[in-house]
């Protein structure tokens, strides 16, 4: 089972209406993505860190997720400083490190980290299913919402098929080694996993058809927006607007 | 006999069906099911019992012959929409049936598809859970249920659509005696219900059905 670790806590953000959270996170991401003022961006990073602290998540797990994102950004740091044209600050053999490049890489680093942090603080504090419902309530096209829902649902299915197959290997004493037998077994495992998940997804779809599914999901639980949700939304949006106005 | 009982609600005429890379499962297969009947279906593994259910629900398409359900010929996907709203199929594997996060949402899925409003759906949900002895299960996560619980919840998801006919595919397999007894009681306390049950459990069939059909070599006969 894929755990949604962050959604299990209890904090201001966990209790907030997911629709408000989606709107705020979207607004924040757009503002951060288009802005190129350093003061605004440092401010954004500050807000993002503050949001994570308010969400009371485990620091260790937040950092481990950031590491994944930053491993990609690290590649940019390897490339960008060398490939920009402009004033050289340092020469390394025949390669020149360019100030523009460093600035650009720094910009991307701040932007992506703040967006990810806000995503963690706002979005991952809701369960996937609440997010799906929220998107539906925000009148996103049904097809997109279903795509999102089924992607999640079938990642889960594939994962559980993997665990079953892996257990089947284990109980018959399989130990991975560097030999053809191991490679062959893993190839079978992957192939079998895909075939079986595909079959299962077909059977689940059939079961849905049998219960009158015609391509539209109807929600059982409706969200009720409280005044507090609305107020929190306004406060957060104003903070983000404030970023833009920073000198 | 009343007029309505004379007319077969499910009627297969000279039906053929074959899976790729296999011989015919059905060849010139004919079968009638009448309203009010409660029949058991037995046969060797691979004799086409589950296939029969899937043909009734329109999940598989025959290669020849005719399927008539509720007095109308059913050919294309659209014809089967109505069938699926009036006949409930319980799958062999509950993991195929349950896909919503919570029990309540999974059970509500069918009634909501039937365009019941919220109040009605919640009422059906409550009644279904009570009938099947699952009260208090509303917010349980479907994939964390035990196997027996999953089977009962699967039955509940079909039950909630208030079908006229139930098709139960091995409903007792791997269940303990207490749970089987519960299912027997549920079925017997609803005498108006028609159903076909695939099962290898002779005792269970004896307690819940009036007659038993045997499927063998693409043919079906009463025993």
């Amino acid at each position: 089972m894929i755990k949604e670790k962050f959604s299990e806590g209890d904090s201001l953000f966990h209790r907030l209406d997911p629709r408000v959270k989606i709107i705020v996170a979207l607004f924040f991401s757009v503002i951060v993505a288009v802005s190129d003022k350093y003061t605004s961006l440092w401010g954004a990073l500050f807000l993002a860190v503050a949001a994570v602290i308010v969400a009371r998540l485990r620091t260790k797990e937040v950092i481990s997720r950031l590491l994944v994102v930053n491993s990609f950004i690290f590649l940019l740091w390897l490339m960008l400083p060398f490939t920009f044209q402009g004033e050289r600050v340092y020469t390394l053999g025949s390669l020149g490190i360019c100030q523009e490049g460093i600035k650009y890489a720094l910009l991307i680093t701040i932007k992506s980290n703040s967006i990810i942090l806000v995503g963690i603080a706002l979005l991952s504090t809701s369960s996937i299913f609440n997010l799906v419902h929220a998107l539906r309530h925000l009148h996103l096209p049904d097809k997109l919402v279903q795509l999102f829902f089924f992607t999640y649902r079938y990642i889960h299915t594939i994962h559980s098929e993997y665990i079953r197959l892996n257990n089947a290997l284990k109980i018959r004493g399989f130990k991975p080694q560097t030999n053809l037998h191991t490679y062959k077994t893993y190839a079978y495992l992957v192939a079998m996993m895909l075939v079986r998940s595909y079959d299962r997804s077909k059977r689940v779809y059939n079961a849905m058809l049998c219960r009158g599914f015609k391509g539209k999901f109807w929600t059982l639980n409706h969200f009720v927006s409280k005044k507090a949700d609305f107020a929190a939304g306004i406060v957060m949006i104003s903070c983000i607007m404030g970023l833009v106005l920073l000198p | 006999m009343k007029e309505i009982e004379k007319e077969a609600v499910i009627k297969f005429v000279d039906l053929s069906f074959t899976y790729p890379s296999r011989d015919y499962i059905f060849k010139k297969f004919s079968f009638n099911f009448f309203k009010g009947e409660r029949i058991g279906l037995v046969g060797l593994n691979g004799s086409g019992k589950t296939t029969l259910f899937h043909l009734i629900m329109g999940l598989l398409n025959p290669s020849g012959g005719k399927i008539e359900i509720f007095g109308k010929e059913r050919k294309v996907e659209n014809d089967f929409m109505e069938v699926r709203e009036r006949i409930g199929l319980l799958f062999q594997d509950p993991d195929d049936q349950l896909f919503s996060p919570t029990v309540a949402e999974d059970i509500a899925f069918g009634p909501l598809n039937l365009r019941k409003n919220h109040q009605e759906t919640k009422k059906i949900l409550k009644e279904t859970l009570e009938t099947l002895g699952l009260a208090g299960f509303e917010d349980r996560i479907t994939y964390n249920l035990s196997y027996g619980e999953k089977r009962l919840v699967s039955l509940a998801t079909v039950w909630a659509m208030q079908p006229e006919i139930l098709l139960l595919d091995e409903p007792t397999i791997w269940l303990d005696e207490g749970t089987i007894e519960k299912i027997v009681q549920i079925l017997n306390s609803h005498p108006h219900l028609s159903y076909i049950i695939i099962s290898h459990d002779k005792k269970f069939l004896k307690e819940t059905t009036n007659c038993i059909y045997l499927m063998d070599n693409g043919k079906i006969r009463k025993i």
Side-chain angles (χ1 to χ4, degrees):
Chain A
M1 170 182 173
I2 302 165
K3 287 207 177 99
E4 299 165 44
K5 280 184 199 149
F6 290 150
S7 69
E8 286 158 6
D10 181 37
S11 76
L12 181 68
F13 284 151
H14 287 91
R15 287 188 298 267
L16 207 60
D17 189 320
R19 287 173 295 183
V20 174
K21 295 202 280 187
I22 290 175
I23 293 170
V24 171
L26 184 72
F27 185 64
F28 180 87
S29 307
V30 171
I31 293 288
V32 169
V34 297
S35 118
D36 48 10
K37 268 193 293 184
Y38 275 96
T39 42
S40 306
L41 288 176
W42 284 116
L45 189 61
F46 173 76
L47 280 187
V49 172
V52 171
I53 292 169
V54 172
R56 296 205 298 201
L57 302 168
R58 268 205 228 136
T59 325
K60 221 171 127 189
E61 273 161 24
V62 174
I63 289 173
S64 79
R65 292 203 187 182
L66 280 182
L67 279 179
V68 178
V69 183
N70 283 293
S71 60
F72 286 102
I73 294 171
F74 177 69
L75 293 178
L76 290 179
W77 278 95
L78 282 183
M79 303 290 294
L80 283 175
F82 300 102
T83 48
F84 256 76
Q85 283 187 343
E87 199 188 328
R88 288 186 174 192
V89 281
Y90 190 76
T91 317
L92 205 87
S94 58
L95 294 167
I97 296 179
C98 173
Q99 203 180 1
E100 286 296 304
I102 294 177
K103 271 190 184 166
Y104 199 63
L106 185 65
L107 213 64
I108 294 176
T109 311
I110 302 173
K111 282 184 182 192
S112 36
N113 278 299
S114 356
I115 292 176
I116 293 294
L117 283 172
V118 162
I120 289 174
L122 289 179
L123 301 181
S124 63
T125 46
S126 289
S127 70
I128 292 276
F129 295 101
N130 276 330
L131 288 179
V132 169
H133 283 181
L135 289 174
R136 201 168 301 140
H137 284 289
L138 289 171
H139 299 289
L140 216 72
D142 268 340
K143 284 209 169 109
L144 285 180
V145 178
Q146 280 173 38
L147 210 62
F148 180 55
F149 173 74
F150 282 117
T151 307
Y152 172 76
R153 158 77 211 193
Y154 289 121
I155 285 178
H156 186 87
T157 307
I158 293 171
H159 184 68
S160 54
E161 285 296 347
Y162 167 76
I163 290 173
R164 274 195 214 191
L165 287 164
N166 207 18
N167 286 344
L169 294 185
K170 275 190 211 156
I171 58 160
R172 282 194 276 159
F174 175 74
K175 280 195 208 84
Q177 280 159 344
T178 316
N179 56 25
L180 196 61
H181 172 67
T182 304
Y183 298 146
K184 222 164 117 179
T185 309
Y186 274 127
Y188 286 156
L189 176 93
V190 171
M192 215 46 194
M193 190 171 81
L194 291 178
V195 171
R196 280 168 57 160
S197 326
Y198 175 72
D199 272 351
R200 182 170 291 276
S201 65
K202 234 170 41 184
R203 293 197 298 268
V204 170
Y205 183 67
N206 278 342
M208 290 168 72
L209 284 181
C210 287
R211 285 198 273 153
F213 180 65
K214 294 189 198 81
K216 206 165 165 63
F217 275 103
W218 308 98
T219 41
L220 178 64
N221 296 313
H222 283 289
F223 296 118
V224 189
S225 256
K226 294 180 294 272
K227 270 186 193 148
D229 291 319
F230 191 66
I234 296 286
V235 169
M236 286 190 282
I237 297 272
S238 339
C239 284
I240 300 168
M241 295 287 270
L243 288 180
V244 187
L245 300 174
L246 282 177
Chain B
M1 224 186 242
K2 276 184 273 172
E3 191 61 33
I4 192 162
E5 283 171 338
K6 278 185 210 153
E7 190 64 38
V9 276
I10 300 175
K11 199 170 172 182
F12 280 28
V13 188
D14 289 340
L15 198 87
S16 310
F17 179 81
T18 168
Y19 282 111
S21 74
R22 263 187 77 170
D23 261 0
Y24 277 102
I25 299 261
F26 299 128
K27 206 171 186 177
K28 298 257 173 206
F29 178 89
S30 293
F31 168 68
N32 288 318
F33 179 78
F34 296 91
K35 209 171 170 76
E37 275 194 304
R38 305 173 146 221
I39 66 172
L41 204 55
V42 297
L44 298 179
N45 297 121
S47 58
K49 303 183 296 293
T50 301
T51 306
L52 180 74
F53 279 5
H54 286 206
L55 282 165
I56 293 173
M57 299 303 278
L59 301 176
L60 295 171
N61 300 317
S63 49
K66 209 165 82 166
I67 300 178
E68 262 181 50
I69 299 174
F70 299 124
K72 262 201 264 178
E73 191 178 352
R74 310 284 170 174
K75 265 183 166 166
V76 291
E77 182 73 11
N78 268 338
D79 301 336
F80 284 100
M81 295 275 186
E82 191 205 344
V83 173
R84 290 168 189 160
E85 288 175 0
R86 295 172 65 184
I87 299 182
L89 167 63
L90 179 73
F91 279 74
Q92 229 173 69
D93 185 347
D95 279 321
D96 293 343
Q97 195 121 24
L98 305 174
F99 63 92
S100 297
T102 64
V103 170
E105 280 175 295
D106 219 307
I107 294 175
F109 178 74
L112 288 173
N113 281 332
L114 297 178
R115 302 307 298 125
K116 303 269 186 212
N117 67 31
H118 268 260
Q119 275 178 333
E120 286 172 307
T121 307
K122 296 236 159 142
K123 194 166 155 260
I124 292 172
L125 178 66
K126 198 163 163 276
E127 285 169 0
T128 308
L129 289 171
E130 268 166 20
T131 311
L132 301 191
L134 291 168
F137 271 64
E138 288 88 337
D139 294 324
R140 295 277 299 273
I141 306 293
T142 52
Y143 41 74
N144 290 342
L145 297 172
S146 79
Y147 184 82
E149 289 167 343
K150 275 186 191 171
R151 298 240 44 171
L152 278 178
V153 172
S154 299
L155 182 60
T157 64
V158 177
W159 194 274
M161 297 186 70
Q162 301 161 327
E164 295 162 43
I165 301 169
L166 276 176
L167 308 175
L168 308 179
D169 198 345
E170 291 285 7
T172 62
I173 202 165
W174 294 332
L175 290 184
D176 62 69
E177 280 165 18
T179 316
I180 294 177
E181 187 50 39
K182 207 160 144 187
I183 294 179
V184 171
Q185 276 172 13
I186 293 164
L187 291 177
N188 285 336
S189 57
H190 291 80
H192 60 281
L193 208 63
S194 318
Y195 48 72
I196 307 177
I197 300 177
I198 295 175
S199 180
H200 290 105
D201 184 341
K202 292 209 173 76
K203 184 171 165 277
F204 175 74
L205 287 183
K206 212 171 154 190
E207 285 169 349
T208 52
T209 60
N210 307 332
C211 66
I212 292 177
Y213 282 76
L214 171 76
M215 282 188 68
D216 180 30
N217 258 331
K219 294 268 180 304
I220 189 166
R221 63 187 161 85
K222 219 174 194 170
I223 53 171

